[in-house]
């Protein structure tokens, strides 16, 4: 049964669209990304349709990262990679509006360097503290 018929991930989970499955349990699934950064790049996602990270329950978030940890270990064993990049977009740059953790196998000198983030800096310690205080307030409010 498709939770959201407009979601390609829900259709893959329901078996209506094809996918190259890597992981499958009662809460979380994983299948290969159709446009991988590197071969073996796996998407790990909840079976239920959840669009944003803030909508995930703590248990489902733990299940997602635990499945990602297991996939990363399997990638090292199966692919001989040196490490893993975990990437979880939330709304921005999320091509499918269904929470999914990218588990990307990495190798030393694989050419992937800082492509994700332009770096910036705070103008002062005071400015940094203003940002920290604002986030703390939102967490506690």
């Amino acid at each position: 049964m498709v939770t959201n018929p407009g979601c390609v991930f829900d259709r893959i989970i329901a078996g209506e669209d094809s996918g190259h499955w890597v992981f499958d349990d009662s809460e979380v699934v994983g299948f290969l990304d159709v446009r991988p950064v590197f071969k073996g790049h796996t998407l790990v996602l909840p079976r239920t349709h959840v669009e944003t990270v803030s909508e995930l329950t703590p248990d489902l978030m733990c299940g997602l990262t635990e499945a990602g940890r297991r996939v990363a270990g399997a990638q090292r064993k199966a692919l001989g990679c040196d490490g893993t990049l975990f990437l979880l977009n939330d709304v921005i740059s999320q091509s499918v509006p269904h929470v999914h953790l990218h588990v990307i196998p990495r190798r030393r000198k694989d050419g992937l360097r800082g492509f994700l983030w332009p770096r910036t800096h705070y103008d002062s310690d005071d400015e940094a503290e203003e940002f920290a205080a604002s986030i703390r307030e939102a967490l506690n409010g």
Side-chain angles (χ1 to χ4, degrees), residues 81-115:
C81 56
D82 302 313
T84 308
L85 171 64
F86 276 25
L87 178 65
L88 190 124
N89 293 313
D90 190 36
V91 181
I92 305 300
S93 295
Q94 188 179 1
S95 58
V96 177
H98 185 130
V99 170
H100 53 284
L101 174 65
H102 296 258
V103 184
I104 304 169
R106 298 289 314 274
R107 290 182 170 75
R108 288 178 187 5
K109 299 185 181 190
D110 61 16
L112 194 62
R113 296 176 13 180
F115 75 102

Side-chain angles (χ1 to χ4, degrees), residues 10 20 32 47 56 59 65 86 96 110 119 128 130-131 134:
D10 285 358
H20 297 282
L32 295 181
R47 284 184 167 280
L56 288 170
D59 286 343
T65 56
F86 276 25
V96 177
D110 61 16
R119 301 297 290 257
E130 287 174 24
F131 274 83
S134 177

Side-chain angles (χ1 to χ4, degrees), residues 58-77:
D59 286 343
L60 194 48
M61 184 68 186
C62 287
L64 197 67
T65 56
E66 171 57 15
R69 181 193 69 80
R70 291 177 62 194
V71 168
Q75 286 173 338
R76 284 188 185 176
K77 185 176 181 180

Side-chain angles (χ1 to χ4, degrees), residues 33-72:
D33 192 309
V34 296
R35 291 183 19 216
V37 174
F38 298 115
K39 291 178 181 176
H41 175 168
T42 301
L43 304 177
V44 175
L45 54 144
R47 284 184 167 280
T48 57
H49 186 82
V50 179
E51 290 194 12
T52 66
V53 171
S54 61
E55 296 172 61
L56 288 170
T57 64
D59 286 343
L60 194 48
M61 184 68 186
C62 287
L64 197 67
T65 56
E66 171 57 15
R69 181 193 69 80
R70 291 177 62 194
V71 168

